[in-house]
Amino acid sequence: MFTLTRNDGYLLSTDPALLDLGLVHHWLSTDAYWALGRDRATVDRAFAGSLPFGVYRPEDGRQVAVARVVTDRATFAWLCDVYVDRAARGRGLGGWLAGAARDHLDELGVRRILLATNDAHQVYARVGFTPLDVPERWMNLDRRIPVTPVTGKEQSDGTPLTVEA
């Protein structure tokens, strides 16, 4: 468990028991361009399989920000679903959240953290993220675009399925 308290009293924690997943679902499904319409069951599964980060207001402990990290906790991480409640924006919580996630992952030994953003490049740049310097090395499989499964069943000539290196 990782916790951190800012000078102004905001609490950051990786304790999944503190997350208000109903609120997180509302934020993501109604106000986050990358997750509009995401159903509650998907949010629950995504957070259950990830390292969660929540930020909580000092006055009453209400959750005001969230992020999750998909990671093996050894070599690789993907920072995603970073969201700060509209009423809490402008206080530097997004950058603090991203920096705290970076620092916690560093303590675990993770040396590569990826993320994707349409509009918050400056927030992440302030905590050390940079554009990919060799994008031709990276590939993406976006399952929102249909692909034909490779099962071997579609072969009719009886030859076994092989992979060439």
Side-chain angles (χ1 to χ4, degrees):
M1 197 87 54
F2 176 74
T3 59
L4 191 61
T5 304
R6 237 170 51 159
N7 291 341
D8 58 3
Y10 280 95
L11 172 73
L12 181 145
S13 176
T14 60
D15 184 350
L18 295 178
L19 290 174
D20 181 343
L21 285 176
L23 180 61
V24 170
H25 169 253
H26 174 74
W27 287 336
L28 296 178
S29 67
T30 65
D31 195 39
Y33 66 84
W34 65 91
L36 293 175
R38 188 180 289 174
D39 64 76
R40 173 65 190 264
T42 299
V43 170
D44 289 351
R45 279 194 335 270
F47 275 84
S50 302
L51 176 60
F53 288 80
V55 176
Y56 306 91
R57 196 165 53 192
E59 307 87 66
D60 56 8
R62 182 181 184 277
Q63 187 170 350
V64 294
V66 70
R68 70 183 178 94
V69 176
V70 180
T71 183
D72 59 10
R73 291 177 166 83
T75 63
F76 177 79
W78 173 41
L79 177 61
C80 57
D81 287 341
V82 179
Y83 185 90
V84 177
D85 187 297
R86 287 187 175 274
R89 292 180 186 173
R91 295 178 174 92
L93 295 174
W96 182 56
L97 178 55
R102 174 206 60 204
D103 294 347
H104 181 58
L105 291 165
D106 188 55
E107 290 172 6
L108 297 176
V110 174
R111 295 293 179 251
R112 182 172 304 256
I113 306 170
L114 293 181
L115 65 83
T117 184
N118 277 347
D119 57 2
H121 296 81
Q122 291 180 349
V123 171
Y124 298 112
R126 284 193 289 271
V127 295
F129 285 87
T130 59
L132 291 175
D133 58 349
V134 224
E136 63 273 6
R137 282 187 176 180
W138 294 90
M139 296 182 74
N140 173 49
L141 176 60
D142 187 338
R143 293 301 293 185
R144 295 171 294 185
I145 302 165
V147 295
T148 304
V150 179
T151 62
K153 294 178 184 176
E154 62 277 352
Q155 291 181 315
S156 60
D157 65 357
T159 57
L161 183 64
T162 60
V163 177
E164 295 183 27

